Amino acid sequence: MNSQTPPTHPGELFQLPMPMAGAYALQGLEIGGMRAKVLMPYAPAFTNSRGEVHGGSLSVLFDCALASACRAHDPSVYGVVTLDLTVHFLAPGKGDVIATAVCERRGRAMCFARGEIHDTQGQLLALATGTFKLVERQQPAA
């Protein structure tokens, strides 16, 4: 993967201000080409009644990671809008989790991506696919 590891700032994901990513303490690990890798550190606030990472928390991680893969060709110029996200939960997870995502097809406006979430021991926890619309960012007025 040709990747860049951008500087980490709270509330940003791959140099994009994103309050949701900040709320979940998401950390962009790698981005480049058609791929992205994002870490969600364990926090009790992200768990279910059994102390396992909540499915909704995994869905937030997938949404952010797949969207990042779709804009990985130019992460500072493009944002995305999620049109569809399908998640399949395979195993419970405790501890930090890592999403890897790949944009399978990027058109002028539409992107299709897939991803996996693993725990730090490598166990596959969930799979997802998503459809996203590329949106060019507005440049600040001079």
Side-chain angles (χ1 to χ4, degrees):
M1 173 193 297
N2 286 339
S3 63
Q4 39 185 316
T5 306
T8 303
H9 297 90
E12 286 188 0
L13 186 60
F14 299 119
Q15 302 173 346
L16 173 66
M18 189 180 301
M20 178 64 81
Y24 278 82
L26 300 184
Q27 299 170 23
L29 301 177
E30 297 176 14
I31 191 167
M34 306 276 274
R35 300 179 180 275
K37 188 181 225 180
V38 180
L39 168 77
M40 183 173 68
Y42 177 85
F46 309 152
T47 64
N48 59 26
S49 62
R50 294 178 308 280
E52 300 157 347
V53 181
H54 191 280
S57 298
L58 294 177
S59 296
V60 167
L61 176 57
F62 268 135
D63 192 32
C64 292
L66 272 64
S68 293
C70 289
R71 63 185 187 88
H73 63 297
D74 202 344
S76 63
V77 173
Y78 290 98
V80 296
V81 175
T82 306
L83 302 176
D84 177 71
L85 183 66
T86 302
V87 179
H88 300 280
F89 303 104
L90 306 174
K94 291 191 175 196
D96 295 353
V97 292
I98 299 170
T100 54
V102 61
C103 180
E104 292 292 349
R105 179 157 172 79
R106 182 185 302 120
R108 285 184 297 125
M110 301 288 286
C111 300
F112 302 91
R114 66 178 168 82
E116 299 180 349
I117 292 178
H118 292 83
D119 62 19
T120 55
Q121 290 74 46
Q123 180 182 11
L124 179 62
L125 305 178
L127 302 167
T129 58
T131 308
F132 300 84
K133 180 177 179 177
L134 280 173
V135 179
E136 194 166 340
R137 300 191 180 293
Q138 297 294 325
Q139 299 301 319

